[in-house]
Amino acid sequence: MASLPNHPPAQADIAALKARAKRMRNHMLVMARGPGQGYIGQGLGIADVLAAIYFHELRWSPEHLDDPERDRFLLSTGHYSVALWAALAEAGVFPLDELPSYGADDSRLQMSTLDTTPGVEIIGGSLGHGLGQGVGMALGLRLRGSNARIFCELSDGELQEGSTWEAAMSGSNFGLDNLIALIDCNGIQADGDLVIDIEPVADKWRAFGWQVQEIDGNDMKEVTDALQAARTKGSRPHAIVLRTKPGKGVPTLEQREKAHFVRVDPDEWDALIRELKDHN
Amino acid sequence: MTTTPNYSKAMGVDELVGSRPVVDAPFGNALIAAHKRRGDIVGLTADLGKYTDILTFRDAYPDRFFNVGMAEQNLVAVAAGLARTGTVPFATTYGVFATRRAYDFIAIACAHSNVNVKIVAGLPGLTTGYGGTHQAIEDVALMRMVPNLVVIDPCDATDIEQITHAVADYQGSVYMRLLRGKVRRVLDSQRYTFILGKASVLKEGTDVGIISTGLMTEQALDAATTLAHEGISAGVLHVPTLKPFDGDAVAEFASRYAAVVTAENHVIRGGLGTQVRECLFDAGVVRPVRSVGIADAFIELGASQTLMERSGLTTMGIALKAREALAR
């Protein structure tokens, strides 16, 4: 469809994308302030990647969310919803004044993602569900000769789910070079530090037959370069291992060690938003 | 006196004894026909293509068939992804693996959004002698509890042919049990029509109403014949769709008889037996109900026919319950 940009630009505007990421982080703080809690650490950590996806790499338009030729971004970790809402709001899918409803009864912006909210491709949250659906979508797009691609986010903790590896096996077996796994390694899970050692992550994906890059997921240049490299065809799916920092961009939250589910006192929010503003 | 032992067949559905004609791979052939008609079907399996009759579809449409290996969670997830790109995936495996291993994927990746995935589940109930690892005895109960999901247990080749087309045309998530290989033709394809969500009166009677699903409908029809020789007039209501359940038809049918027998190739608790009781109670149709089905127990290994006889999943088993229900 002519409604979608033909291809992402060869050169990424790093400064503009960093500004997008910063605004998205601000949206997240606005959202989390309402309930006073949330998966804000993960959201802040993946903000740079989502900014690069939605404002650089994805052939996608907020005006044509169901265009069959769109690239699709799948958020497998539904509890990162705060980051997806920030990206979709920044893209204009819903108004910014809806952000404070995050987590409230009847809000479209829930603490975990349902596909009833515009722009959400799958139900995330039961971990280990995203990549297999990504394999199915990549197969379906290839079957009808589409050039659209599937970007599937998943997390390091999610690598403990066996279904992730079932999907990894099938993705390489079917030669899906239109499938890009974005593996957010932030080192935390519900019980704290990763409770089962999943390193070396990159080697595991290589062993499963994927084309693998490993980068600093909070470095916009590295992120956009890796996405560009993942445009290459070659009968193998792509994996980008992203090393990210939970709470990135807000020093107090970065230092709130291993916080899987962050709780913030009401009087702290203004200080956190000021920190984000001042932080580079 | 020596007797010849009954052996269970390797990987196989033991072919049930009987004199009715058989049809080869009715599911696989109907799937080919459905694709010819629609053009959007994709076949999937988890290393059980040969044993779920879907290889005929692969041979006809090799580009539209994917084997994900022994990975049932991924089988269902891949099907959900395919459905979201506009194809109609039919994913086959055994019922035990689809339901017990991939339950979360059926519930969340499929049924929650009611995506257009069709799960086709082999070896229902005691159609295999492979014991508890392979006998899907509680799959209908599990699937019936998942919101949105349509659940179907076909009787025979005619049912399977019609159901395959009907579920391909239905927009939403479906779990259907499969009879595979040489499947008998019990229902007359000229006179019987499967309608999704509807029960079907196959025979009218005056004394006892037999309500059956799946392959037990064949035994129900034979039991009605047996009972007729004893002067008992039995009607037969076939209920292939277990969800949504045609409670109106069941209550109306039951209200015309003094007693009711249910018959299913599944555990009675949570299956047809339970559903019929719930539905009759709600409708205020008070009748004695007796049930033929699998007990609340894992069943041993053995020849399928032996296991069915021991569980009473037979013509005689239904006739016995009918006499009990009528207190004759």
Side-chain angles (χ1 to χ4, degrees), chain B residues 16-272:
Chain B
L16 302 167
V17 293
S19 57
R20 293 186 167 96
V22 293
V23 177
D24 259 328
F27 164 67
N29 289 313
L31 196 61
I32 291 170
H35 181 68
K36 277 186 187 150
R37 188 169 58 79
R38 298 179 50 93
D40 56 6
I41 287 168
V42 173
L44 292 169
T45 193
D47 188 38
L48 285 171
K50 202 186 292 184
Y51 301 98
T52 54
D53 287 353
I54 201 169
L55 289 193
T56 52
F57 180 85
R58 177 201 66 181
D59 294 343
Y61 301 105
D63 297 342
R64 303 188 68 85
F65 176 82
F66 303 100
N67 195 330
V68 302
M70 282 184 272
E72 292 78 15
Q73 297 178 91
N74 197 44
L75 173 76
V76 176
V78 168
L82 275 160
R84 284 183 183 272
T85 56
T87 64
V88 183
F90 277 71
T92 75
T93 179
Y94 290 161
V96 282
F97 306 136
T99 59
R100 294 176 190 155
R101 299 187 90 112
Y103 196 87
D104 189 38
F105 291 75
I106 293 173
I108 303 301
C110 298
H112 199 306
S113 308
N114 208 12
V115 298
N116 210 6
V117 167
K118 322 300 173 184
I119 294 156
V120 182
L123 303 192
L126 301 183
T127 54
T128 174
Y130 258 44
T133 56
H134 286 64
Q135 294 160 347
I137 59 171
E138 85 291 23
D139 59 325
V140 168
L142 288 168
M143 294 295 98
R144 201 160 70 75
M145 293 302 105
V146 179
N148 293 338
L149 196 61
V150 166
V151 181
I152 302 174
D153 191 3
C155 164
D156 72 336
T158 299
D159 231 1
I160 286 173
E161 288 159 358
Q162 296 192 18
I163 288 166
T164 302
H165 284 278
V167 304
D169 294 348
Y170 167 78
Q171 173 72 38
S173 305
V174 174
Y175 176 85
M176 68 175 270
R177 283 176 142 195
L178 174 71
L179 303 169
R180 67 173 193 196
K182 294 189 189 308
V183 179
R184 274 174 302 178
R185 192 177 295 289
V186 177
L187 305 170
D188 180 347
S189 54
Q190 301 302 311
R191 290 167 53 203
Y192 170 83
T193 304
F194 170 83
I195 299 171
L196 198 148
K198 294 294 177 196
S200 182
V201 176
L202 300 182
K203 187 178 179 305
E204 300 280 8
T206 53
D207 297 323
V208 62
I210 305 172
I211 301 171
S212 60
T213 187
L215 55 72
M216 289 310 292
T217 291
E218 179 179 1
Q219 313 298 333
L221 290 167
D222 291 347
T225 305
T226 299
L227 290 165
H229 292 313
E230 303 170 19
I232 297 173
S233 169
V236 176
L237 180 72
H238 176 45
V239 188
T241 312
L242 293 155
K243 186 177 187 177
F245 192 66
D246 192 355
D248 291 345
V250 167
E252 194 279 324
F253 176 80
S255 70
R256 292 189 275 119
Y257 295 93
V260 169
V261 175
T262 70
E264 65 196 299
N265 175 30
H266 183 270
V267 291
I268 297 163
R269 299 216 192 291
L272 178 72

Side-chain angles (χ1 to χ4, degrees), chain A residues 19 27 52 86 97 146 163 202 212 235 237 277:
Chain A
H27 298 337
D97 62 11
S146 169
S163 56
V212 182
S235 304
K277 194 165 168 241

